[in-house]
Protein backbone atom coordinates (compact mmCIF):
# COMPACT_ATOMS: atom_id res chain seq x y z
CA UNK A 1 0.00 0.00 0.00
CA UNK A 2 2.83 2.44 0.80
CA UNK A 3 4.29 2.02 -2.68
CA UNK A 4 0.94 2.65 -4.36
CA UNK A 5 0.07 5.66 -2.17
CA UNK A 6 3.44 7.34 -2.70
CA UNK A 7 3.28 6.74 -6.45
CA UNK A 8 -0.31 7.98 -6.62
CA UNK A 9 0.61 11.20 -4.81
CA UNK A 10 3.57 11.74 -7.11
CA UNK A 11 1.48 11.37 -10.26
CA UNK A 12 -1.87 12.71 -9.08
CA UNK A 13 -1.46 16.10 -10.85
CA UNK A 14 -1.51 14.29 -14.20
CA UNK A 15 -5.29 13.94 -13.88
CA UNK A 16 -5.55 17.67 -14.61
CA UNK A 17 -3.34 17.45 -17.69
CA UNK A 18 -4.57 17.71 -21.24
CA UNK A 19 -3.41 16.40 -24.58
CA UNK A 20 -0.10 17.47 -26.12
CA UNK A 21 0.66 18.29 -29.74
CA UNK A 22 3.20 15.46 -30.02
CA UNK A 23 1.42 12.29 -31.25
CA UNK A 24 -1.76 12.77 -29.22
CA UNK A 25 -3.41 14.31 -32.26
CA UNK A 26 -2.72 11.31 -34.46
CA UNK A 27 -3.65 8.79 -31.78
CA UNK A 28 -6.80 10.50 -30.51
CA UNK A 29 -7.81 14.02 -31.53
CA UNK A 30 -7.42 13.56 -35.30
CA UNK A 31 -8.03 9.82 -35.44
CA UNK A 32 -11.03 9.43 -37.77
CA UNK A 33 -11.34 5.69 -37.07
CA UNK A 34 -11.69 6.46 -33.38
CA UNK A 35 -14.19 9.25 -33.86
CA UNK A 36 -16.29 7.29 -36.37
CA UNK A 37 -16.38 4.17 -34.21
CA UNK A 38 -14.65 2.14 -36.94
CA UNK A 39 -13.15 -0.37 -34.50
CA UNK A 40 -11.94 -2.83 -37.15
CA UNK A 41 -9.90 -0.20 -39.00
CA UNK A 42 -8.68 1.22 -35.70
CA UNK A 43 -7.26 -2.15 -34.66
CA UNK A 44 -5.59 -3.19 -37.92
CA UNK A 45 -4.35 0.11 -39.36
CA UNK A 46 -0.68 0.89 -38.59
CA UNK A 47 -0.15 3.90 -36.34
CA UNK A 48 3.16 5.61 -37.01
CA UNK A 49 4.52 2.37 -38.43
CA UNK A 50 3.34 0.23 -35.54
CA UNK A 51 0.40 -2.13 -35.15
CA UNK A 52 -0.71 -2.33 -31.51
CA UNK A 53 -4.41 -3.24 -31.48
CA UNK A 54 -4.71 -3.71 -27.73
CA UNK A 55 -3.43 -0.19 -27.12
CA UNK A 56 -5.81 1.26 -29.69
CA UNK A 57 -8.72 -0.68 -28.19
CA UNK A 58 -7.96 0.83 -24.77
CA UNK A 59 -7.97 4.31 -26.33
CA UNK A 60 -11.31 3.44 -27.94
CA UNK A 61 -12.71 2.70 -24.47
CA UNK A 62 -11.41 6.06 -23.29
CA UNK A 63 -13.05 7.83 -26.22
CA UNK A 64 -16.37 6.23 -25.31
CA UNK A 65 -15.94 7.53 -21.76
CA UNK A 66 -14.73 11.09 -22.28
CA UNK A 67 -14.34 11.73 -26.03
CA UNK A 68 -11.87 14.62 -26.45
CA UNK A 69 -11.55 15.27 -22.73
CA UNK A 70 -8.18 13.97 -21.57
CA UNK A 71 -9.02 13.07 -17.97
CA UNK A 72 -10.03 9.44 -18.56
CA UNK A 73 -6.98 8.78 -20.75
CA UNK A 74 -4.67 10.01 -18.00
CA UNK A 75 -6.63 8.10 -15.37
CA UNK A 76 -6.15 4.85 -17.29
CA UNK A 77 -2.43 5.51 -17.72
CA UNK A 78 -2.08 6.17 -14.00
CA UNK A 79 -4.04 3.04 -13.05
CA UNK A 80 -1.89 0.91 -15.35
CA UNK A 81 1.25 2.41 -13.82
CA UNK A 82 0.03 1.65 -10.29
CA UNK A 83 -0.71 -1.94 -11.33
CA UNK A 84 2.79 -2.13 -12.79
CA UNK A 85 4.28 -0.97 -9.49
CA UNK A 86 2.50 -3.82 -7.73
CA UNK A 87 3.68 -6.28 -10.39
CA UNK A 88 7.28 -5.09 -10.04
CA UNK A 89 7.00 -5.74 -6.31
CA UNK A 90 5.61 -9.25 -6.92
CA UNK A 91 8.30 -10.02 -9.50
CA UNK A 92 11.05 -8.79 -7.21
CA UNK A 93 9.65 -10.88 -4.37
CA UNK A 94 9.66 -13.94 -6.60
CA UNK A 95 13.15 -13.40 -7.99
CA UNK A 96 14.65 -12.50 -4.60
CA UNK A 97 13.00 -15.38 -2.73
CA UNK A 98 10.73 -13.03 -0.74
CA UNK A 99 13.31 -10.42 0.24
CA UNK A 100 11.05 -7.57 1.37
CA UNK A 101 13.74 -4.88 1.43
CA UNK A 102 14.88 -5.57 -2.13
CA UNK A 103 11.31 -5.82 -3.40
CA UNK A 104 10.07 -2.66 -1.67
CA UNK A 105 13.07 -0.61 -2.81
CA UNK A 106 12.80 -1.85 -6.38
CA UNK A 107 9.07 -1.20 -6.62
CA UNK A 108 9.06 2.27 -5.09
CA UNK A 109 11.98 3.39 -7.25
CA UNK A 110 10.14 2.03 -10.27
CA UNK A 111 7.00 3.89 -9.19
CA UNK A 112 8.41 7.38 -8.67
CA UNK A 113 11.42 7.42 -10.98
CA UNK A 114 11.23 10.39 -13.40
CA UNK A 115 11.93 8.10 -16.37
CA UNK A 116 8.28 7.01 -16.20
CA UNK A 117 6.79 10.51 -16.35
CA UNK A 118 6.59 10.44 -20.15
CA UNK A 119 4.85 7.06 -20.16
CA UNK A 120 2.27 8.03 -17.55
CA UNK A 121 1.64 11.69 -18.39
CA UNK A 122 1.51 11.38 -22.17
CA UNK A 123 -1.68 9.91 -23.62
CA UNK A 124 0.02 8.52 -26.75
CA UNK A 125 2.35 6.52 -24.54
CA UNK A 126 -0.51 4.33 -23.36
CA UNK A 127 1.29 1.61 -25.30
CA UNK A 128 4.21 1.81 -22.88
CA UNK A 129 2.33 1.28 -19.61
CA UNK A 130 0.08 -1.33 -21.21
CA UNK A 131 2.80 -3.49 -22.75
CA UNK A 132 4.77 -3.25 -19.51
CA UNK A 133 1.79 -4.62 -17.58
CA UNK A 134 1.60 -7.81 -19.65
CA UNK A 135 5.38 -8.03 -19.88
CA UNK A 136 5.68 -8.06 -16.09
CA UNK A 137 2.85 -10.57 -15.63
CA UNK A 138 4.60 -12.75 -18.21
CA UNK A 139 7.87 -12.58 -16.28
CA UNK A 140 6.10 -13.50 -13.05
CA UNK A 141 4.41 -16.43 -14.78
CA UNK A 142 7.70 -17.60 -16.31
CA UNK A 143 9.46 -17.40 -12.94
CA UNK A 144 6.78 -19.68 -11.52
CA UNK A 145 7.31 -22.02 -14.46
CA UNK A 146 11.07 -22.06 -13.87
CA UNK A 147 10.50 -22.85 -10.19
CA UNK A 148 7.70 -25.41 -10.53
CA UNK A 149 7.91 -26.73 -14.11
CA UNK A 150 4.17 -26.09 -14.41
CA UNK A 151 2.91 -26.44 -17.98
CA UNK A 152 0.04 -24.10 -17.12
CA UNK A 153 2.48 -21.33 -16.20
CA UNK A 154 4.39 -21.91 -19.44
CA UNK A 155 1.22 -21.52 -21.52
CA UNK A 156 0.20 -18.44 -19.53
CA UNK A 157 3.62 -16.93 -20.17
CA UNK A 158 3.12 -17.28 -23.92
CA UNK A 159 -0.35 -15.74 -23.65
CA UNK A 160 0.89 -12.74 -21.66
CA UNK A 161 3.75 -12.27 -24.12
CA UNK A 162 1.28 -12.14 -27.01
CA UNK A 163 -0.81 -9.54 -25.17
CA UNK A 164 2.33 -7.51 -24.55
CA UNK A 165 3.24 -7.66 -28.24
CA UNK A 166 -0.28 -6.53 -29.14
CA UNK A 167 0.28 -3.49 -26.92
CA UNK A 168 3.70 -2.41 -28.17
CA UNK A 169 6.35 -4.00 -30.44
CA UNK A 170 9.05 -3.28 -27.85
CA UNK A 171 7.96 -6.49 -26.14
CA UNK A 172 10.11 -8.42 -28.65
CA UNK A 173 12.89 -8.44 -26.04
CA UNK A 174 10.85 -10.75 -23.78
CA UNK A 175 12.71 -13.96 -24.80
CA UNK A 176 15.99 -12.40 -23.68
CA UNK A 177 14.44 -11.40 -20.37
CA UNK A 178 13.31 -14.95 -19.60
CA UNK A 179 16.78 -16.24 -20.50
CA UNK A 180 18.05 -13.94 -17.74
CA UNK A 181 15.62 -15.61 -15.34
CA UNK A 182 16.99 -19.00 -16.42
CA UNK A 183 20.49 -17.74 -15.62
CA UNK A 184 19.40 -16.37 -12.25
CA UNK A 185 17.69 -19.63 -11.37
CA UNK A 186 20.77 -21.56 -12.57
CA UNK A 187 18.76 -23.75 -14.88
CA UNK A 188 21.16 -26.15 -16.61
CA UNK A 189 21.81 -25.72 -20.32
CA UNK A 190 19.91 -28.40 -22.18
CA UNK A 191 18.06 -29.04 -25.41
CA UNK A 192 14.78 -28.58 -23.56
CA UNK A 193 15.85 -25.16 -22.30
CA UNK A 194 16.32 -23.93 -25.85
CA UNK A 195 13.34 -25.76 -27.37
CA UNK A 196 10.95 -24.17 -24.88
CA UNK A 197 12.14 -20.73 -26.09
CA UNK A 198 11.22 -21.40 -29.73
CA UNK A 199 7.63 -20.07 -29.46
CA UNK A 200 8.88 -16.86 -27.86
CA UNK A 201 11.54 -16.15 -30.47
CA UNK A 202 9.09 -17.08 -33.23
CA UNK A 203 6.58 -14.56 -31.88
CA UNK A 204 9.29 -11.90 -31.63
Amino acid sequence: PVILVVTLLAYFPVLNAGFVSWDDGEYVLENTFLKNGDLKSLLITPMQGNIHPLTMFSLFINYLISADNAWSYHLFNLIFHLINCFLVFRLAMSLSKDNMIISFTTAILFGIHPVHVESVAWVAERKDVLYTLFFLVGLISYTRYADTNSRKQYVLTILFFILSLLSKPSAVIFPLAILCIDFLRKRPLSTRLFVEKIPFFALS
Side-chain angles (χ1 to χ4, degrees), residues 100-142:
M100 183 64 73
I101 295 176
I102 290 176
S103 303
F104 177 84
T105 304
T106 302
I108 200 163
L109 287 177
F110 176 89
I112 64 175
H113 198 286
V115 74
H116 293 298
V117 171
E118 180 180 284
S119 299
V120 180
W122 184 11
V123 170
E125 274 300 276
R126 167 67 54 77
K127 53 188 178 288
D128 201 52
V129 289
L130 193 57
Y131 107 88
T132 300
L133 189 155
F134 294 113
F135 197 99
L136 289 169
V137 177
L139 292 181
I140 292 170
S141 183
Y142 185 80

Side-chain angles (χ1 to χ4, degrees), residues 38-139:
D38 187 354
L39 187 57
K40 179 180 178 181
S41 297
L42 182 69
L43 298 182
I44 66 174
T45 302
M47 178 65 63
Q48 297 182 336
N50 295 310
I51 296 180
H52 30 49
L54 202 52
T55 293
M56 300 312 297
F57 180 74
S58 73
L59 294 176
F60 177 73
I61 298 299
N62 281 127
Y63 189 78
L64 293 178
I65 295 172
S66 63
D68 289 341
N69 191 315
W71 72 267
S72 79
Y73 301 84
H74 289 298
L75 177 62
F76 273 40
N77 278 15
L78 180 54
I79 290 172
F80 288 139
H81 183 59
L82 292 173
I83 294 172
N84 289 342
C85 292
F86 172 75
L87 293 174
V88 166
F89 177 79
R90 293 304 309 162
L91 178 62
M93 285 287 283
S94 181
L95 293 176
S96 67
K97 301 292 187 179
D98 296 329
N99 187 310
M100 183 64 73
I101 295 176
I102 290 176
S103 303
F104 177 84
T105 304
T106 302
I108 200 163
L109 287 177
F110 176 89
I112 64 175
H113 198 286
V115 74
H116 293 298
V117 171
E118 180 180 284
S119 299
V120 180
W122 184 11
V123 170
E125 274 300 276
R126 167 67 54 77
K127 53 188 178 288
D128 201 52
V129 289
L130 193 57
Y131 107 88
T132 300
L133 189 155
F134 294 113
F135 197 99
L136 289 169
V137 177
L139 292 181

